[in-house]
Amino acid sequence: MPTIALILFAVFAALGFGWRSWKQHRRTGSTGFRGISGHLGSVEWLAGVGFVVALICAVAAPALQLAGAITPLAVLVAPWIQLTGIAFAVFGTVMMVWAQLDMGDSWRIGVDDNETTTLVRTGLFGRVRNPIFSAMLLFGLGLALTTPNIVAVIAFALLVGSIEVQVRLVEEPYLLRVHGQAYRDYVETVGRFVPGVGERC
């Protein structure tokens, strides 16, 4: 399972960051990467650093388990749990690519206050406001279930925390400033991460 988890992560990273950034550069001349924004200790900075650390831990979890340095949590070791984890990770990867394509030229990683992008409300964005983050959460959960050790649990917890901070305290205020009433209307009818959940938040 650790080897499968590493392969899943490699595919996820290659499609979600490598391929999408290359495609964005070909279409717009920009890679879409805005990096870790904000000053040291700011919420933007904390969200970015947390996300990077979560990714590092997500790779370290199966690698350490493969090396025999850590063992899985016995309560989460069962073939159906690991198979469910693989299914979640695969579906999360597919959903991420789909959402990134729906986002078109507005796709980017990070927020630039000097940049204005189109408010996308079609495709998966018509169902949830943050389908890329939803996909990342599903993938992260799947990876943690595939190699359910303590480092994987920490990685998933960091991912959840970082995404919550990024969405609630960085991206949503930015989108409200940029799009005003159009974004307020969007929030009124579309859930944050899950359809029908988190409307008006």
Side-chain angles (χ1 to χ4, degrees), residues 12 51 54-55 85 88-89 91-93 95-96 130-145 152 155-165 167-168 192-194:
F12 178 86
F51 184 73
L55 291 179
F88 281 1
F91 185 70
T93 301
M95 183 179 162
M96 177 191 62
N130 301 283
I132 294 174
F133 285 133
S134 298
M136 288 181 175
L137 291 169
L138 185 60
F139 175 82
L141 176 60
L143 209 63
L145 292 176
F156 183 60
L158 279 171
L159 180 66
V160 171
S162 299
I163 286 176
E164 284 284 352
V165 171
V167 168
R168 293 174 185 266
R192 180 179 277 121
F193 296 115
V194 178

Side-chain angles (χ1 to χ4, degrees), residues 9-183:
F9 186 89
V11 172
F12 178 86
L15 291 175
F17 301 107
W19 170 79
R20 190 61 185 89
S21 181
W22 170 79
K23 184 175 179 64
Q24 185 76 359
H25 188 266
R26 285 193 66 187
R27 289 176 57 153
T28 68
S30 167
T31 62
F33 280 92
R34 299 298 175 260
I36 298 174
S37 59
H39 59 274
L40 184 68
S42 67
V43 290
E44 298 95 333
W45 183 87
L46 288 171
V49 170
F51 184 73
V52 170
V53 173
L55 291 179
I56 292 170
C57 289
V59 174
L64 290 170
Q65 189 171 313
L66 189 63
I70 55 176
T71 57
L73 300 170
V75 70
L76 292 175
V77 176
W80 71 269
I81 293 177
Q82 277 63 73
L83 289 174
T84 299
I86 292 170
F88 281 1
V90 170
F91 185 70
T93 301
V94 171
M95 183 179 162
M96 177 191 62
V97 172
W98 183 1
Q100 287 179 333
L101 291 174
D102 281 348
M103 202 167 187
D105 292 347
S106 293
W107 180 82
R108 77 281 185 273
I109 296 176
V111 171
D112 182 351
D113 281 323
N114 298 316
E115 179 181 48
T116 301
T117 56
T118 303
L119 180 62
V120 180
R121 300 180 62 170
T122 57
L124 289 179
F125 288 86
R127 300 297 184 99
V128 289
R129 302 198 305 268
N130 301 283
I132 294 174
F133 285 133
S134 298
M136 288 181 175
L137 291 169
L138 185 60
F139 175 82
L141 176 60
L143 209 63
L145 292 176
T146 303
T147 52
N149 56 56
I150 189 62
V151 177
V153 171
I154 291 170
F156 183 60
L158 279 171
L159 180 66
V160 171
S162 299
I163 286 176
E164 284 284 352
V165 171
Q166 178 69 19
V167 168
R168 293 174 185 266
L169 301 180
V170 180
E171 297 210 356
E172 289 183 351
Y174 161 77
L175 290 169
L176 187 58
R177 287 194 305 272
V178 171
H179 298 288
Q181 190 58 47
Y183 187 68

